[in-house]
Amino acid sequence: MENSLTIKNVSKFYGSFQALDKINLAVPEGQFVTLLGPSGCGKTTLLRIIAGFLSCEEGEVYFGDRLMNDVPPEKRDTAMCFQSYALFPNKSVYENIRFGLRMHKVPKEQHKKLVEEAMEMVNLTGLGSRRPYELSGGQQQRVSLARCIVVRPRLLLFDEPLSNLDAKLREKVRVEIRQVQRQLGITAIYVTHDQAEALAISDRIVTMSAGRIVQNADPRTIYERPNSKYVADFIGTANIIPCSVESREGDRFVLKCAYGTLRAIDRDCTLQPGAQASLLIRPEDLFLAAPGSENAITGTTRTVVYMGNVLDMFVDVNGTSLRAGITKENVVTENAPVTFAVKPDRIRILEA
Ligand SMILES: Nc1ncnc2c1ncn2[C@@H]1O[C@H](COP(=O)(O)OP(=O)(O)O)[C@@H](O)[C@H]1O
Ligand SMILES: [Mg+2]
């Protein structure tokens, strides 16, 4: 399948500060790709280069096989959905959405049908005559989305579109964004610093740090097989502690760490015996076990917090903290001995 977007060796400097360092990225037609990373890592910069609002000093941006570097934003056939919505306050919902069609010089007689279709798709039917201030935040975001999709752009671009919404609404609107994108089959590039949002919405997550791509993979791989401590720590909750590789047989490892001696199965690990490494255990991969079980980890509970769906606890194991999340049916008290175990294939070995 043809790539909708290809970014080759793109670097960007603001004066002497390098905001992007040789970014390479290929996005197949119809995919939903998220740029994820902490504030300042270059997500918005990359998105603006794709949209054409910013130029880059090095590298190329292709839509299909067409080089876009010198093509102005209004000729790129993209639509950007902002956090601030960027709606006209004194225009109606209908007029706000129609604005996109006028910009793209779509013949007038098609406007009504296209705007109504877009409004239906984002659940705004019947609200066409309202002004933005007569809408909730979620509805305003839907108007902004409708204005983007009404022109059926080749690329949909989102820059933290849900930041102004409360947590419940964010979860709802992100599902709607995903549905609309799927329905239309438009390639989407979505910027967020929220890892849960990235996991929920994406076909692929491009994890960035300080102007570079650290890992580009599907959500399950990013969460279960992070390629670095950085990704493991940024996505989800993680126990990451130093370990040494004692022995290895194929993909089977014996590790020594503050939690004790643990067996791990990790087909991605290339480290040899004697190597210093880090190991990753997700809190939900720990389960209560009898002392002496395979991969038993024994410690003392420090805090046990009832979270409704899980018991979230911090455990002291030989002076090192271990975070565990177990099902609420279990009864665990604070300051009591406890033994967990973890399956070998749930331990990831990462470079120290
Ligand atoms: N116009 C600018 N001039 C100078 N530095 C900038 C400018 N825009 C962004 N930066 C810097 O570039 C880096 C990346 O910014 P940005 O792409 O906005 O990051 P993100 O969207 O991931 O938070 C930051 O360190 C930011 O301070
Ligand atoms: Mg940004």
Side-chain angles (χ1 to χ4, degrees), residues 144-156:
S144 176
L145 177 60
R147 190 168 64 186
C148 290
I149 61 170
V150 75
V151 297
R152 297 290 193 278
R154 170 179 197 136
L155 261 184
L156 265 174

Side-chain angles (χ1 to χ4, degrees), residues 14 17 19 38-45:
Y14 293 114
F17 174 77
S39 180
C41 72
K43 307 179 295 294
T44 294
T45 299

Side-chain angles (χ1 to χ4, degrees), residues 8 14 66 159:
K8 282 191 184 160
Y14 293 114
R66 182 171 172 213
D159 196 350

Side-chain angles (χ1 to χ4, degrees), residues 20 76 107 205 229 240 250 255 262-264 296 311 339 342 345:
L20 294 176
R76 289 200 182 192
I205 299 175
K229 282 204 294 191
I240 303 170
L255 309 171
L262 297 174
R263 292 178 182 280
L311 295 180
T339 299
V342 54
D345 63 358

Side-chain angles (χ1 to χ4, degrees), residues 23 97 136 173 211 312:
I23 298 287
I97 298 171
S136 68
V173 178
D312 180 22

